[in-house]
Amino acid sequence: MEEVREHLLLAVEPEVENGIKLQPPPPDTCKFRIRGLSRTSDAGVPILSKIDLDIPRGKIVGIIGPSGSGKSTLLRALNRLWEPPAGTVFMDGHDICSLDVLTLRRKVGMLFQLPVMFEGTVADNIRYGPQLRGKKLSDSEIQKLLSLADLDSSFMEKKGGDLSVGQAQRVALARTLANEPDVVLLDEPTSALDPISTQNIEDVLVKLKNSSRRMTVVMVSHSIKQIQRVADAVCLLVNGEIVEVLSPDSLSQSKHPMAVRFLQLSS
Ligand SMILES: Nc1ncnc2c1ncn2[C@@H]1O[C@H](COP(=O)(O)OP(=O)(O)OP(=O)(O)O)[C@@H](O)[C@H]1O
Ligand SMILES: [Mg+2]
């Protein structure tokens, strides 16, 4: 835990201190490196301001902050749903702007607040991504993916449109996992779900992190309790700036006034 915290804190501290250049963390522990990421709206309003952050491999990182603070924009930069400026976001040491965008989005899957099912059955939905790459998933592979997302094989032939939101969110997760991603980005994935479906999704995320895949998970959430349940580290974003990076159990030690207010109101 401490290691993750220090690793992340390194990113928000100056890289040169007292004339001594801090050593970057070893590349094998860093999945994303974000440096000087800024975005301004067409009207000239800052959306993200000089974000510096390292996201460690194989951990769950939570992003919290008030509405409009730039959480979704930051998340979307990681798979170029919003195109970041070149030289600001690196995955495994490579500038993501220089990677093929479809390959990047296969490796960096994303789940939104409300799942959107494609036409057809659950199995059709899960087959979709691999099929685009010319790979046909067998029934047993689909069953494994369903089971990974905490759904039994009886769902295979159900129509996507006949599912509850909680079931559809788990199918959307299985569909993302079918692409064998290294990273899953989640933008308030459980805010429309009941507590049991929420717990199912949280359990799956922890399972993926602990599996041999060592999945990296970056999750935006308005629920401090959820972040405390699953995250290894949490970034507080206020007005487009990362004001603190903390361990989930020391959130109460946050010092930024806006962050303190947000945390008090959310708890
Ligand atoms: N395409 C865009 N054009 C102009 N402004 C935008 C655009 N996308 C986002 N913004 C602005 O950027 C700011 C941050 O938006 P963002 O959606 O990232 O916030 P958020 O922290 O995810 O908020 P919420 O918690 O409400 O989802 C907001 O003020 C928003 O209006
Ligand atoms: Mg958002």
Side-chain angles (χ1 to χ4, degrees):
M1 185 64 255
E2 202 52 27
E3 173 203 324
V4 179
R5 207 175 138 237
E6 281 176 12
H7 178 60
L8 280 155
L9 282 171
L10 188 64
V12 290
E13 284 168 0
E15 291 202 327
V16 178
E17 207 173 77
N18 300 328
I20 301 164
K21 198 157 194 255
L22 297 174
Q23 287 302 309
D28 65 328
T29 63
C30 184
K31 189 66 191 174
F32 280 106
R33 177 165 300 188
I34 305 172
R35 289 293 180 272
L37 175 63
S38 296
R39 184 185 180 190
T40 307
S41 74
D42 293 344
V45 180
I47 296 174
L48 293 178
S49 302
K50 296 182 188 155
I51 301 276
D52 287 345
L53 180 70
D54 285 355
I55 296 177
R57 181 192 312 277
K59 302 286 177 194
I60 301 181
V61 174
I63 301 177
I64 57 171
S67 188
S69 57
K71 304 180 296 295
S72 297
T73 307
L74 174 59
L75 203 64
R76 292 160 76 90
L78 300 180
N79 74 351
R80 289 171 59 189
L81 277 177
W82 166 61
E83 189 76 27
T88 57
V89 183
F90 301 85
M91 185 174 76
D92 299 327
H94 302 286
D95 184 346
I96 62 165
C97 293
S98 65
L99 303 175
D100 171 64
V101 72
L102 293 181
T103 310
L104 173 72
R105 289 192 190 146
R106 186 178 70 71
K107 288 186 175 174
V108 184
M110 185 148 182
L111 227 61
F112 301 91
Q113 188 176 12
L114 286 174
V116 177
M117 290 289 98
F118 304 151
E119 246 179 69
T121 63
V122 165
D124 294 335
N125 269 266
I126 294 172
R127 278 197 194 101
Y128 183 81
Q131 214 155 17
L132 290 179
R133 309 195 309 276
K135 186 179 173 196
K136 190 173 172 356
L137 290 184
S138 68
D139 284 359
S140 78
E141 284 171 313
I142 293 173
Q143 279 164 16
K144 270 191 204 141
L145 286 160
L146 282 174
S147 136
L148 207 55
D150 210 17
L151 291 166
D152 63 59
S153 53
S154 69
F155 278 88
M156 267 182 78
E157 294 313 317
K158 288 195 177 157
K159 294 267 184 236
D162 293 343
L163 304 175
S164 72
V165 186
Q167 291 164 342
Q169 190 63 299
R170 276 179 282 157
V171 172
L173 184 54
R175 186 176 63 194
T176 300
L177 297 176
N179 285 326
E180 298 173 8
D182 299 338
V183 182
V184 181
L185 310 176
L186 305 111
D187 199 349
E188 301 183 43
T190 61
S191 53
L193 306 189
D194 66 79
I196 292 174
S197 302
T198 296
Q199 194 186 21
N200 289 336
I201 295 278
E202 289 176 5
D203 288 349
V204 174
L205 297 179
V206 172
K207 202 161 70 179
L208 290 170
K209 179 190 87 161
N210 293 333
S211 73
S212 56
R213 296 175 182 221
R214 288 191 72 208
M215 196 87 78
T216 304
V217 176
V218 187
M219 176 165 68
V220 170
S221 175
H222 278 295
S223 164
I224 305 293
K225 292 208 166 74
Q226 173 165 69
I227 292 292
Q228 287 176 324
R229 283 193 295 269
V230 302
D232 297 297
V234 50
C235 307
L236 274 163
L237 199 61
V238 178
N239 294 332
E241 286 179 47
I242 294 193
V243 296
E244 307 226 39
V245 181
L246 296 157
S247 69
D249 47 14
S250 63
L251 274 174
S252 56
Q253 290 164 22
S254 170
K255 291 186 186 67
H256 190 282
M258 261 301 280
V260 170
R261 198 165 153 233
F262 175 74
L263 291 168
Q264 277 170 350
L265 292 173
S266 313
S267 57

